[in-house]
Amino acid sequence: EVQLLESGGGLVQPGGSLRLSCVASTFDSYAMSWVRQAPGKGLEWVSTIRDSDGRTYYADSVKSRFTISRDNSKNTLYLQMNSLRDEDTAIYYCARHLEWREFFHHWGQGTLVTVSS
Amino acid sequence: EIVLTQSPATLSLSPGERATLSCRASQNIKIYLGWYQQKPGQAPRLLIYDASNRASGIPDRFSGSGSGTDFTLTISSLEPEDFAVYYCQQRSSWPPLTFGGGTKVEIK
């Protein structure tokens, strides 16, 4: 069974930074993504990193502020979040893609990020 | 950006009834649509990918259909554990990957 475990969430002031981590039981050969969900709202894709070439993709709402990366030797996915805003408050899920498709097959339990002064 | 519109926002049904959920895309996305189920306090679960393929472990009462701009998720006979929020998501043209706003299936 694939397991994903996020960590690193917490309370941060506007303009601050956080780094989220996601440790996976299996990691290689799969693209990985971060998806977030604001309190009481729907799902929003944040970022994806491919396995083959490490190419990265971002939602416009986080581009230039967030950086996705992965360490295959540690089976770990990261999301460095800078210049945080109130509207970044959400549960952040890491997700492993379905084969080569851009669907999210396996999900972590999520980590809550709260941006507030 | 491809916009996905789900309807209805809320569906009130009884266990054993058939549920039909709709997802409409703002442009042709061929078959590149998936469906997720999310229960309170839980992460989403992938049900259907590429319009009509059930993900592993998903019961056959869940089925997906459609292509182009109009898609349907059907639950043939609702079980108590099926009452949840359902989201569609497209992978046809990205970034960004986009989700619909969700349909809540509630107990009548």
Side-chain angles (χ1 to χ4, degrees):
Chain A
E1 181 185 350
V2 176
Q3 294 188 340
L4 302 172
L5 184 62
E6 302 100 333
S7 61
L11 175 64
V12 61
Q13 292 188 338
S17 298
L18 275 179
R19 188 196 199 199
L20 306 183
S21 299
C22 171
V23 178
S25 57
T26 61
F27 198 68
D28 285 359
S29 304
Y30 292 95
M32 298 288 294
S33 288
W34 290 96
V35 176
R36 69 184 181 184
Q37 187 168 36
K41 302 297 184 183
L43 301 170
E44 179 187 17
W45 169 77
V46 173
S47 182
T48 293
I49 184 166
R50 298 205 310 203
D51 61 301
S52 54
D53 55 10
R55 188 169 177 179
T56 58
Y57 305 85
Y58 298 93
D60 284 348
S61 58
V62 307
K63 199 174 293 182
S64 77
R65 299 187 299 123
F66 290 11
T67 302
I68 191 172
S69 61
R70 61 192 292 161
D71 184 339
N72 287 348
S73 69
K74 296 181 179 179
N75 282 6
T76 302
L77 176 73
Y78 302 100
L79 186 67
Q80 178 66 44
M81 304 186 295
N82 299 331
S83 303
L84 283 161
R85 306 166 179 169
D86 291 351
E87 56 265 34
D88 295 319
T89 294
I91 296 172
Y92 285 73
Y93 296 101
C94 71
R96 197 184 88 173
H97 285 213
L98 175 68
E99 302 164 347
W100 46 268
R101 298 176 175 87
E102 294 81 19
F103 292 120
F104 311 114
H105 192 196
H106 298 284
W107 297 68
Q109 86 291 347
T111 188
L112 177 62
V113 173
T114 303
V115 184
S116 175
S117 55
Chain B
E1 173 176 329
I2 294 175
V3 176
L4 299 177
T5 303
Q6 291 189 241
S7 62
T10 303
L11 196 52
S12 298
L13 295 168
S14 300
E17 289 194 293
R18 182 183 188 91
T20 303
L21 288 67
S22 174
C23 179
R24 177 164 290 178
S26 59
Q27 57 189 272
N28 184 354
I29 59 170
K30 301 171 187 167
I31 62 162
Y32 301 127
L33 187 100
W35 291 93
Y36 298 84
Q37 175 193 67
Q38 187 178 32
K39 298 178 183 179
Q42 296 185 16
R45 176 173 71 147
L46 179 66
L47 301 174
I48 301 289
Y49 65 93
D50 288 345
S52 61
N53 298 284
R54 271 189 300 276
S56 57
I58 302 302
D60 62 5
R61 64 180 181 274
F62 291 93
S63 63
S65 63
S67 65
T69 61
D70 290 303
F71 299 84
T72 300
L73 174 69
T74 301
I75 310 171
S76 59
S77 178
L78 283 163
E79 297 288 338
E81 62 267 28
D82 298 337
F83 292 92
V85 179
Y86 292 83
Y87 295 95
C88 56
Q89 177 238 320
Q90 68 82 25
R91 69 174 189 95
S92 175
S93 175
W94 73 287
L97 295 165
T98 53
F99 291 90
T103 290
K104 182 180 181 180
V105 179
E106 65 175 23
I107 300 176
K108 186 174 182 181

